[in-house]
Amino acid sequence: MKELALWNEGDWIAAIAAVALFGVLAFGLSLSRRKSAEVLGHPSGLFVLFYAEMWERFSYYGMRALLILYLTQFWLFTDGKSALIYGTYTSLVYITPVLGGYLADRYLGQRKAVLFGGIILALGHGFMAVEGMHGITDPAVKQADPAINIFWLALALIIVGSGFLKANISVIVGQLYRLTDARRDGAYTIFYMGVNAGAALGTILVGYLGQTIGWSYGFGLAGIGMVIGLIIFVMGKPALMGKGEAPAPLARTQEWTLYGLGALAVVVIWALIQYQDVIQSLLIVAGVAMLVYTLYEALKLPKEPRERMFAILFLIALNPIFWGLFEQAGGSLSLYTDKFVDKGGVPTSLFQSINPIYIVLLGPVFAALWVWLAKRGWEPSAPAKFGYALLQVGLGFLVFVWGAQGVGAGVATPVVFVFLIFLLHTMGELCLSPVGLSAMNRLAPAHLASFIMGAWFYMSAVGNFIAGKIGEATGGDSGEMTKEATLAIYAQIGWISIGVAAGVLALAPVVRRWMHLDALQDR
């Protein structure tokens, strides 16, 4: 421990985060002692899922905040290559929920899928704490270290584990409410706050340990967080009131065969993560296959549910555009911050906590805003909210570019513009992500609930891969990022996002009619 007089900004931020973590735990403990079926106007199961997902996000986002820095500073990949690996990793995290969602829908049920995914995730975060050789300065020698295979294995385990957990825990949230329950959007916003409370605290504490004490310490803390989340989920089973169980009794041999498929998926992902160029082709092929299957299912439905499926497809198609731009945060924007921003002694990874902190602060505001507008008949439709999301993400890039260029090419970008781009992007995220989760669960037919949620995350995967390709472009031909080239790319994608937003807002009334919200019935 340093003496207090020697603490810098990063030390104080980490200390405050540690105190906040204990506060969140104390609040959760007080909730767990209540025996009522509802807590704060919501089913108590919501808060079991809130805390389980909070710890899972603590581990995932904590590790993610370090990842691109770990790739460039420990494994010595170039900036462009690191951004591509980062984008490939995050895209695969969003692809595997299609597999996890399908197996949960047809066989396992969501609860067992989440449990299996949590175990795989805990193993993955544990392997991330294994480091290879130190003191190597030649990238070729460093990347030939056999320990890099353990690193790839850790990423593969986290990817597959997320696939079983990510979509299915969101589905359980929706199962706690009737389709016509006015609390649904608010519930997903509360759940989303749990996601981001874990993300903020994990980013700060894991990032701080990783950058100031050692990579393995940061990754090790992420693993501990995942184990805690797993324990909460297991102990909170009674509060779920039987939701998320298998659709039919499952033989033990059949169940273990499904877990074997999960283990096989780890092997496949271990190979794919190392060959990023293959992922692009697979994304295209799988995306077309999912579209054909979704249309096939939609065309078998009566008029109103069929048009709801068309509305789902419209919303899902906007996902990769938004996330392809938004996810520069953990890739190219993180590297830009490390190289060209006046950070004032704060470790670069800690800036990844700005977005989830904004979510925690603004989440209740947006949840209350939607309710207030709905009571007066002024609430924007889901497609209109998506349009506003794209508008704000575009403005975020333009404000950042104008601020960085305004101080001159040779001057470090003032840190205030990092806070501004995250603010605008976060407000865009609150218009899209919780609203999209709620829309997928509300509009999808019961027999396709997890598949549709998986498709939602799949298109997020496409967006994350696009983000990696954009990040790779900021590295230029040499692979090393430059300030001028990065700002030029940011300006271009900012204007593109605003143009798409205008088109979405124009089409929003048509898509709203396809949703047939007035005809929804509880299952």
Side-chain angles (χ1 to χ4, degrees), residues 350-375:
L350 271 63
F351 285 90
Q352 294 300 301
S353 68
I354 298 173
N355 166 248
I357 289 172
Y358 279 151
I359 290 284
V360 173
L361 295 175
L362 296 176
V365 176
F366 273 74
L369 176 64
W370 301 143
V371 172
W372 186 83
L373 290 173
K375 288 180 178 178

Side-chain angles (χ1 to χ4, degrees), residues 365-411:
V365 176
F366 273 74
L369 176 64
W370 301 143
V371 172
W372 186 83
L373 290 173
K375 288 180 178 178
R376 289 157 178 78
W378 300 339
E379 183 183 11
S381 64
K385 290 174 183 176
F386 277 44
Y388 295 135
L390 290 166
L391 179 65
Q392 289 173 104
V393 79
L395 284 174
F397 281 113
L398 295 180
V399 168
F400 186 81
V401 170
W402 294 333
Q405 292 177 339
V407 297
V411 179

Side-chain angles (χ1 to χ4, degrees), residues 68-381:
I68 198 159
L69 303 172
Y70 188 55
L71 287 165
T72 55
Q73 297 172 17
F74 184 81
W75 289 110
L76 305 180
F77 289 103
T78 64
D79 295 340
K81 182 67 171 178
S82 296
L84 183 59
I85 294 172
Y86 173 87
T88 301
Y89 162 72
T90 54
S91 71
L92 289 170
V93 164
Y94 285 95
I95 289 175
T96 49
V98 177
L99 171 65
Y102 176 81
L103 294 180
D105 274 342
R106 296 300 178 95
Y107 307 108
L108 279 175
Q110 285 78 25
R111 185 185 62 81
K112 285 186 177 179
V114 169
L115 181 60
F116 177 66
I119 293 170
I120 298 297
L121 276 165
L123 288 172
H125 286 293
F127 280 121
M128 282 296 294
V130 177
E131 294 182 0
M133 296 183 295
H134 288 257
I136 307 298
T137 57
D138 186 339
V141 175
K142 182 66 177 175
Q143 292 154 27
D145 181 356
I148 200 170
N149 289 303
I150 298 176
F151 169 67
W152 298 128
L153 174 62
L155 293 184
L157 287 165
I158 294 170
I159 289 164
V160 174
S162 295
F164 278 89
L165 186 146
K166 197 170 182 63
N168 291 305
I169 199 168
S170 299
V171 169
I172 299 175
V173 172
Q175 291 175 349
L176 295 174
Y177 298 86
R178 299 189 309 274
L179 288 179
T180 53
D181 194 324
R183 300 174 298 172
R184 288 176 64 90
D185 279 10
Y188 273 105
T189 301
I190 290 172
F191 179 70
Y192 208 63
M193 286 172 61
V195 169
N196 287 279
L201 296 172
T203 297
I204 293 171
L205 295 173
V206 172
Y208 176 80
L209 287 179
Q211 285 201 271
T212 60
I213 299 178
W215 301 109
S216 62
Y217 287 90
F219 293 133
L221 179 61
I224 293 170
M226 187 62 242
V227 172
I228 294 173
L230 194 57
I231 292 170
I232 290 173
F233 184 76
V234 171
M235 294 181 65
K237 178 184 175 183
L240 301 181
M241 301 179 295
K243 304 300 183 183
E245 295 301 325
L250 194 63
R252 180 67 61 180
T253 54
Q254 189 179 19
E255 184 175 342
W256 281 97
T257 299
L258 296 174
Y259 297 146
L261 285 175
L264 179 62
V266 171
V267 177
V268 173
I269 296 298
W270 176 84
L272 286 177
I273 192 69
Q274 300 178 58
Y275 300 98
Q276 299 85 38
D277 293 339
V278 177
I279 301 298
Q280 182 172 343
S281 299
L282 291 178
L283 285 171
I284 294 171
V285 172
V288 170
M290 288 181 63
L291 175 62
V292 171
Y293 176 73
T294 305
L295 288 173
Y296 169 75
E297 291 289 343
L299 293 174
K300 294 192 297 182
L301 297 170
K303 179 178 184 295
E304 288 186 357
R306 181 173 67 247
E307 290 188 346
R308 289 194 191 104
M309 291 287 280
F310 294 156
I312 285 172
L313 287 172
F314 179 85
L315 297 177
I316 286 178
L318 300 175
N319 228 8
I321 302 172
F322 179 84
W323 295 114
L325 306 184
F326 180 93
E327 284 296 339
Q328 296 308 307
S332 67
L333 184 59
S334 184
L335 288 177
Y336 184 98
T337 302
D338 192 56
K339 293 172 179 287
F340 306 120
V341 171
D342 182 5
K343 301 186 294 296
V346 177
T348 302
S349 59
L350 271 63
F351 285 90
Q352 294 300 301
S353 68
I354 298 173
N355 166 248
I357 289 172
Y358 279 151
I359 290 284
V360 173
L361 295 175
L362 296 176
V365 176
F366 273 74
L369 176 64
W370 301 143
V371 172
W372 186 83
L373 290 173
K375 288 180 178 178
R376 289 157 178 78
W378 300 339
E379 183 183 11
S381 64

Side-chain angles (χ1 to χ4, degrees), residues 453-501:
M453 194 65 76
W456 168 262
F457 288 123
Y458 175 85
M459 293 307 283
S460 300
V462 176
N464 276 267
F465 187 79
I466 291 171
K469 297 298 285 187
I470 294 172
E472 183 184 29
T474 63
D477 295 334
S478 67
E480 297 302 321
M481 173 183 283
T482 64
K483 183 177 181 180
E484 294 76 13
T486 302
L487 293 177
I489 290 172
Y490 282 4
Q492 183 178 6
I493 60 180
W495 285 115
I496 289 172
S497 181
I498 290 174
V500 174

